[in-house]
Amino acid sequence: ANAWFALLTLTFLEIVLGIDNIVFISIVSNRIDPKDQRKVRNTGLFLAMIFRIALLFGIQWVVGLNRPLINLEWSWFHGYITGQSIIIFLGGLFLLYKSVSEIHHKIEGDEEVHLSTKKTSLWGSVLQIALLNIVFSFDSILTAVGLVSFKEFGNTGALVIMILAVIISIAIMMLFSGPVSRFVNGHPTIQILGLSFLILIGVMLLAEASHMGHFSLFGQEVGTIPKGYLYFAIFFSLMVEFFNTKMKKNTSLSKKQ
């Protein structure tokens, strides 16, 4: 019973943590030909599954990446740099750059220029998804290790639970990635909301990387941003936008009548 409960809980958390991944994949895949969009989405999610399973088998290596590599000691700043913090920090920077540039293109009306280069951006899109999946995979695996007890289920049992949770969650995300992608790309305001949340997640990754190295600025240590706050803000904003869209639709229908 405990194993089944751990599997269901971890699968649910994997899906929740994968929402930002689906949003990013949806926005990136919108830049390529419609006939290739499903291929890019499934390839991105399949790569996420491969990365996470590979990291689970190398869990000792992942934990080892948290060892200090470089110590930084100044009068106003001190901390240390680890392998994990470098990967997560670079992922946060990439997410910030990608989100801000996408918002800039949409606001400035540069979409037509990018639409003309859709056919040549397929493998570039896959590469972007693969690089960011590495960062999201680290976050996912660290959550899984913190949730599933190796003492309770044993090394093999805990590994099986985590791998099954990853496979089931990715399969569910593959199933719903198409409708989510069409919904996000079919509503401009949802696109901007999604990109804005990716900016927040990028900032969260920067803060998390700084916290891993115990960065302290003028005696104040950098803290993490609780993921629950971010996901609550995401769902609340989407709910408000859903009601707003519904209200506009009803208003337009009443005017036609």
Side-chain angles (χ1 to χ4, degrees):
N2 290 339
W4 282 108
F5 180 76
L7 176 63
L8 292 174
T9 304
L10 185 56
T11 301
F12 174 76
L13 287 177
E14 290 286 341
I15 293 172
V16 172
L17 292 174
I19 290 174
D20 43 14
N21 201 358
I22 291 179
V23 172
F24 180 79
I25 290 174
S26 299
I27 293 171
V28 170
S29 64
N30 190 44
R31 289 294 180 87
I32 63 175
D33 289 331
K35 62 183 178 66
D36 294 325
Q37 289 180 5
R38 182 179 178 183
K39 182 192 300 183
V40 169
R41 288 194 302 267
N42 289 340
T43 301
L45 290 170
F46 181 76
L47 287 173
M49 183 178 69
I50 296 299
F51 287 146
R52 293 176 189 187
I53 293 176
L55 289 175
L56 283 173
F57 279 108
I59 194 65
Q60 291 184 345
W61 175 76
V62 174
V63 174
L65 286 176
N66 205 29
R67 297 191 185 97
L69 298 177
I70 302 174
N71 288 316
L72 304 173
E73 293 290 341
W74 295 307
S75 59
W76 54 276
F77 175 85
H78 65 83
Y80 55 84
I81 298 175
T82 67
Q84 285 184 13
S85 64
I86 291 174
I87 294 172
I88 293 177
F89 189 83
L90 292 177
L93 285 180
F94 173 74
L95 203 56
L96 284 175
Y97 164 76
K98 186 64 180 177
S99 304
V100 172
S101 62
E102 288 286 338
I103 291 176
H104 172 75
H105 292 320
K106 292 182 183 301
I107 292 176
E108 296 297 325
D110 296 338
E111 290 295 304
E112 295 181 0
V113 176
H114 290 277
L115 287 173
S116 63
T117 60
K118 272 185 175 181
K119 294 183 180 179
T120 60
S121 62
L122 190 149
W123 291 110
S125 300
V126 172
L127 180 61
Q128 292 179 41
I129 293 169
L131 291 175
L132 200 63
N133 269 330
I134 295 175
V135 180
F136 287 147
S137 295
F138 269 91
D139 192 30
S140 170
I141 294 310
L142 293 175
T143 301
V145 172
L147 183 65
V148 180
S149 173
F150 283 88
K151 291 183 179 180
E152 182 178 0
F153 303 111
N155 292 339
T156 303
L159 191 61
V160 168
I161 291 172
M162 289 186 283
I163 291 175
L164 284 176
V166 168
I167 294 174
I168 295 172
S169 62
I170 293 295
I172 293 173
M173 286 190 282
M174 280 184 176
L175 185 63
F176 289 99
S177 63
V180 170
S181 180
R182 287 190 292 271
F183 178 75
V184 170
N185 294 320
H187 297 78
T189 53
I190 298 296
Q191 280 190 359
I192 297 299
L193 269 178
L195 290 168
S196 301
F197 290 134
L198 289 179
I199 291 176
L200 287 178
I201 292 169
V203 173
M204 181 197 71
L205 291 175
L206 296 182
E208 187 175 341
S210 302
H211 183 71
M212 284 181 174
H214 295 282
F215 285 4
S216 180
L217 186 65
F218 297 108
Q220 184 67 38
E221 185 170 336
V222 177
T224 58
I225 302 174
K227 294 183 178 68
Y229 292 165
L230 286 182
Y231 289 120
F232 174 78
I234 290 173
F235 287 119
F236 181 78
S237 300
L238 288 176
M239 188 182 302
V240 171
E241 182 58 30
F242 172 77
F243 289 132
N244 187 34
T245 304
K246 191 74 173 175
M247 184 185 69
K248 288 181 179 178
K249 187 177 180 179
N250 292 336
T251 303
S252 63
L253 287 174
S254 61
K255 286 182 178 179
K256 288 180 180 179
Q257 292 174 355

